[in-house]
Amino acid sequence: MSRALFTTPLILPRCSTTRRIVRMSATETRYPGISFKSMAIKPPSHPTYDLKGVIKLALAEDAGDRGDVTCLATIPLDMEVEAHFLAKEDGIIAGVTLAEMVFHEVDPSLKMEWFQKDGDYVHKGLQFGKVYGRAHSIVVSERVVLNFMQRMSGIATLTKAMADAARPACILETRKTAPGLRLVDKWAVLIGGGRNHRMGLFDMVMIKDNHISAAGGIINSIKSVDEYLDKKNLQMEVEVETRTLEEVHEVLRYASQTKTSLTRIMLDNMVVPLPNGDVDVSMLKEAVQLISGRFDTEASGNVTMDTVHKIGQTGVTFISSGALTHSVKALDISLKIDMELALQVGRRTKRA
């Protein structure tokens, strides 16, 4: 379906823990000519997510009950054109495979050619791909394609910057994703060089403050999880949130005396903001030293581009940031049939 001229692949950071993989309906969606096995970075796993259904919904909300009345009025149905993807700012491109799926859903006869792949760097003014075929189909697809690509590229760009700064720790997103776009947002994190946290409520036990309060304490909550997993004969990662060094000591004492399913300890809000804009990571560092490799550790809270490098130097295994997906700034991308005019306008507005 498409010809691709690819550059150097993105190298993902190595992390100590591998996730339990569950089957995902998205990877079983059939799009002739699009192979999940051959793509640069595959989408994460989910047992029920319907990626094709998400695409259809996005197209349906745009088309309404009449379709694109402007296209129907202005573009002959048999007209064929070539349209070019133009990056209007620097960043990491993401959503190339998803764009192909959208185009194919609208019109399987459309052809694409990409000069960059998911995870590649693009600079302002770069033409990184093109689509050719029926003009009507291309214009109808345009906004949905760009909405996906711009959001995913924004997430991937921020993730790449934070992942580079966090090393040797690994950067994770959270469940703070756009409703209905969980898999798409988390796919973009992978493309940017991050790692996925749990996909949802089903694939990892994560004991947080409200669970601890309701269970009557941190040890009661861990005991309850151990008993539940044993009763249900389930094996999965288990993480518990700690907010004080005393809680860390409690968890370690319990784990030293009892066989437990616990695999990771979250160190929440142990990064303390200072009046000068810096952060104090001494509490986080002490907690990591107390745990001393017996469990994976995850730093959470007060994670920004300005603080993530310092946090990553404490020895923590993972750093989680909700901002990767809940505060995303879309990467500016356009799709233009008349590239010469588009570049003239871009130069005038300093966007190309």
Side-chain angles (χ1 to χ4, degrees):
M1 178 178 174
S2 64
R3 293 175 287 161
L5 306 177
F6 289 159
T7 56
T8 305
L10 179 72
I11 299 174
L12 298 177
R14 292 180 179 271
C15 297
S16 63
T17 302
T18 56
R19 295 296 307 277
R20 184 176 67 99
I21 301 300
V22 293
R23 291 188 63 79
M24 180 186 71
S25 59
T27 58
E28 297 174 3
T29 299
R30 296 293 181 243
Y31 282 94
I34 303 174
S35 170
F36 280 94
K37 291 183 179 180
S38 64
M39 69 179 62
I41 300 168
K42 298 174 187 176
S45 298
H46 194 291
T48 61
Y49 196 90
D50 182 5
L51 185 55
K52 186 171 184 177
V54 170
I55 291 170
K56 285 185 172 182
L57 181 63
L59 291 166
E61 70 180 2
D62 220 15
D65 59 351
R66 284 196 177 92
D68 188 338
V69 292
T70 313
C71 272
L72 292 170
T74 62
I75 301 176
L77 287 176
D78 59 350
M79 176 182 284
E80 295 200 348
V81 297
E82 181 174 280
H84 298 257
F85 285 93
L86 177 68
K88 292 185 174 180
E89 56 184 321
D90 300 347
I92 302 298
I93 200 69
V96 166
T97 301
L98 194 50
E100 290 205 3
M101 294 170 71
V102 175
F103 282 129
H104 191 274
E105 188 64 42
V106 172
D107 184 350
S109 71
L110 294 176
K111 305 296 182 185
M112 285 127 265
E113 184 174 358
W114 302 101
F115 313 118
Q116 305 288 328
K117 68 178 182 304
D118 283 331
D120 282 346
Y121 174 80
V122 294
H123 60 78
K124 183 169 70 172
L126 180 70
Q127 298 177 47
F128 62 89
K130 62 183 179 180
V131 56
Y132 42 97
R134 291 177 62 225
H136 186 277
S137 300
I138 292 172
V139 177
V140 165
S141 308
E142 174 191 357
R143 179 41 52 197
V144 172
V145 166
L146 291 177
N147 283 350
F148 279 128
M149 290 191 77
Q150 287 179 309
R151 179 175 176 85
M152 289 183 72
S153 297
I155 292 171
T157 299
L158 179 58
T159 300
K160 180 67 166 68
M162 293 194 79
D164 287 348
R167 290 192 178 99
C170 293
I171 197 77
L172 307 171
E173 85 296 84
T174 68
R175 284 167 51 238
K176 297 173 183 176
T177 54
L181 295 181
R182 174 70 55 83
L183 185 139
V184 174
D185 283 0
K186 285 180 174 279
W187 190 2
V189 168
L190 293 180
I191 291 170
R195 283 277 301 272
N196 288 152
H197 210 306
R198 59 176 178 163
M199 179 61 65
L201 300 173
F202 59 91
D203 59 332
M204 177 183 185
V205 175
M206 190 165 176
I207 309 167
K208 292 181 67 67
D209 51 359
N210 285 335
H211 303 106
I212 293 168
S213 298
I218 195 165
I219 300 307
N220 281 347
S221 63
I222 300 173
K223 283 181 179 177
S224 297
V225 167
D226 286 338
E227 291 169 2
Y228 176 83
L229 294 179
D230 183 60
K231 181 180 178 181
K232 298 293 184 180
N233 195 27
L234 289 173
Q235 288 186 334
M236 61 177 62
E237 288 187 62
V238 176
E239 179 172 12
V240 65
E241 177 184 302
T242 60
R243 294 156 290 179
T244 66
L245 293 177
E246 289 75 17
E247 285 187 331
V248 174
H249 278 292
E250 278 189 76
V251 171
L252 293 176
R253 193 159 45 245
Y254 171 79
S256 69
Q257 299 169 353
T258 310
K259 183 181 178 181
T260 179
S261 52
L262 186 67
T263 56
R264 187 186 307 179
I265 299 177
M266 176 186 285
L267 308 169
D268 190 47
N269 286 312
M270 295 189 186
V271 176
V272 182
L274 298 174
N276 64 0
D278 199 2
V279 287
D280 179 359
V281 297
S282 58
M283 183 181 179
L284 175 64
K285 195 168 184 177
E286 185 177 349
V288 171
Q289 289 171 348
L290 281 172
I291 295 165
S292 188
R294 282 175 279 182
F295 299 98
D296 284 336
T297 52
E298 177 185 333
S300 176
N302 295 309
V303 178
T304 68
M305 269 306 305
D306 294 328
T307 65
V308 70
H309 176 71
K310 194 169 185 177
I311 297 169
Q313 300 307 301
T314 62
V316 72
T317 317
F318 300 105
I319 303 172
S320 57
S321 171
L324 292 179
T325 54
H326 74 55
S327 300
V328 59
K329 177 185 176 296
L331 192 74
D332 199 358
I333 300 168
S334 65
L335 179 63
K336 298 297 182 184
I337 294 173
D338 189 339
M339 274 304 299
E340 185 176 343
L341 179 58
L343 286 170
Q344 286 178 20
V345 174
R347 293 187 191 103
R348 186 177 71 227
T349 57
K350 303 194 183 308
R351 295 169 74 194

